[in-house]
Amino acid sequence: MTPRRPPFPTAQGWLRWGLVAVPMITTMPRADAVAWVLIGITLVLSVPMPWIADLGARTSSAILSLAVIASTGALWVALPGSWATVAMFSTTFFVVLRQAPVPIVLAIVLDAALITVVWVARQDLWESALSTYAVLAVIVLMGLNRRTRNARVEQTELALARAQTASEEHARAAALAERARIARELHDVLAHSLAGLSLNLQGARLMLVRDGASPDAVAQIERAQKLASDGMAEARKAVAALREDAVPVERAIADLLAAYRLDSGARADLEVEGEPRELDAAVGTALVRAVQEALANTRKHAAHADVDVTLGYTAGSVTLTVTDRQGRRPPDAPAAGYGLRGMSERVALLDGHLDSGPGEDGWRIHLTVPA
């Protein structure tokens, strides 16, 4: 399995890195031996920052941010007049904005301790320390305000997505009700009428044969009877088609992923490769059930993990790959569960092939079935 490439850093990622790297560069002309060591440590710690700005409350991100606060704070203690405070306070802002409550509290306590150390070491007036504490308070309040705003935006987007889903379901239910009404009309009127016509034509043919009618007349009645029988069969097929709600496989899988996104808040994407085509009902059911089982396992063993689904159409077969992105290699399963066994049996009945197991950054399921 090929590991996923890290995404290109966002503008916020570059900003976060710049607010740490630039102050370090400006501090270099005044640096002594201790300051050079702290600058080097900080620059090394800042290297992953463009990529972790969007990871959210992850343990590695929190530890890295707290380490940057500690190193820049130590540099500020060594060089009190430097721009190290810019790096320290900007990193604190991003911790308040993105991290869990425990890292936020640790960052604030660490900042307050460093401010106190500088105040005691320089023996400044208490107003100087108070003003720095005030700056820290403003930074924290700004981060909390932005965090609350982001949460409101996410809740609004989630509500809109749920409203759209409800609207689509309502429209779909209305369409199904209309199709059911048309199916009833076809069954009760057209199909019954054609059945009666076929029986009457059968009786007429028997009467013509009994009375010794010409072969041409009997042949005409037989042709009419066949047309009535064919029409009745087509009417029954139309009723069955209207009663069934055949949903394309791509749409069914997309609906499952949309439900997963709403439940977990994680990313879940579907990529379709090749030209989609109509699949046999058994094949479509196997693909949809495979995605259902994979998402159920992800919810159980790797909650809130991102999910990538690839549906590929090739000549004579269709492939499905479901991968959850846990950010680590999961342990090997001691034995296949009932869900995976059922999936494997369903694929085997279609003369297909199923592979499942841990990959570099999550669990992967890949199946191929003739189609």
Side-chain angles (χ1 to χ4, degrees):
M1 174 178 155
T2 303
R4 184 179 56 165
R5 291 183 178 180
F8 191 77
T10 61
Q12 186 182 103
W14 287 118
L15 176 63
R16 180 175 181 173
W17 174 79
L19 288 173
V20 174
V22 172
M24 295 301 100
I25 295 174
T26 60
T27 307
M28 288 179 180
R30 299 175 48 199
D32 54 16
V34 175
W36 273 109
V37 172
L38 294 173
I39 291 171
I41 293 174
T42 304
L43 289 176
V44 171
L45 292 173
S46 70
V47 171
M49 281 190 166
W51 286 271
I52 69 169
D54 297 322
L55 289 182
R58 300 284 180 87
T59 302
S60 57
S61 175
I63 294 175
L64 181 63
S65 299
L66 292 174
V68 170
I69 292 174
S71 63
T72 53
L75 182 61
W76 181 40
V77 172
L79 299 174
S82 66
W83 278 26
T85 52
V86 174
M88 184 178 74
F89 287 139
S90 65
T91 305
T92 302
F93 172 81
F94 283 107
V95 170
V96 175
L97 178 63
R98 309 288 298 194
Q99 297 296 333
V102 172
I104 292 175
V105 172
L106 292 176
I108 295 174
V109 171
L110 183 58
D111 286 333
L114 289 168
I115 293 171
T116 303
V117 169
V118 172
W119 174 45
V120 172
R122 296 179 59 183
Q123 298 182 351
D124 284 342
L125 298 176
W126 65 269
E127 290 88 349
S128 176
L130 186 61
S131 64
T132 311
Y133 286 127
V135 171
L136 174 61
V138 171
I139 293 294
V140 172
L141 291 175
M142 288 173 58
L144 292 175
N145 180 68
R146 184 61 183 270
R147 185 189 186 103
T148 303
R149 177 182 176 277
N150 290 345
R152 286 199 300 266
V153 171
E154 291 177 359
Q155 290 297 324
T156 301
E157 292 177 349
L158 183 60
L160 289 175
R162 287 175 175 169
Q164 183 178 359
T165 301
S167 177
E168 291 176 354
E169 290 298 327
H170 180 74
R172 184 177 174 185
L176 289 176
E178 180 63 15
R179 289 171 62 174
R181 186 190 68 79
I182 296 173
R184 287 194 300 270
E185 293 296 327
L186 284 175
H187 181 268
D188 296 341
V189 178
L190 182 58
H192 285 175
S193 299
L194 289 173
L197 177 59
S198 179
L199 289 175
N200 288 333
L201 289 171
Q202 174 72 3
R205 186 183 68 82
L206 293 175
M207 291 174 61
L208 288 175
V209 172
R210 183 195 63 188
D211 296 339
S214 65
D216 290 339
V218 175
Q220 288 290 343
I221 293 297
E222 289 177 347
R223 280 194 292 269
Q225 183 187 4
K226 184 177 186 305
L227 289 174
S229 299
D230 292 343
M232 185 170 60
E234 293 298 326
R236 287 173 177 170
K237 289 181 181 179
V239 170
L242 288 170
R243 288 291 187 183
E244 294 175 356
D245 183 28
V247 179
V249 173
E250 301 83 11
R251 172 64 186 275
I253 294 176
D255 289 344
L256 291 175
L257 295 179
Y260 177 81
R261 286 194 295 269
L262 291 177
D263 292 341
S264 65
R267 179 183 61 80
D269 295 331
L270 169 63
E271 181 180 358
V272 179
E273 299 177 347
E275 185 66 26
R277 59 180 180 271
E278 186 175 355
L279 300 174
D280 183 75
V283 174
T285 300
L287 296 174
V288 175
R289 294 292 180 266
V291 176
Q292 279 183 322
E293 179 61 28
L295 293 178
N297 288 338
T298 299
R299 289 186 176 98
K300 181 178 179 180
H301 301 290
H304 310 296
D306 295 340
V307 175
D308 289 320
V309 178
T310 302
L311 181 64
Y313 292 91
T314 58
S317 66
V318 60
T319 62
L320 176 72
T321 304
V322 184
T323 307
D324 57 42
R325 307 295 184 179
Q326 304 178 23
R328 58 180 177 82
R329 182 180 178 87
D332 293 333
Y338 292 113
L340 284 176
R341 290 180 187 175
M343 188 192 309
S344 179
E345 292 169 355
R346 187 180 290 112
V347 172
L349 289 174
L350 298 172
D351 295 327
H353 182 69
L354 171 69
D355 287 322
S356 65
E360 292 298 327
D361 61 348
W363 195 270
R364 178 179 182 268
I365 294 175
H366 178 78
L367 63 90
T368 303
V369 292

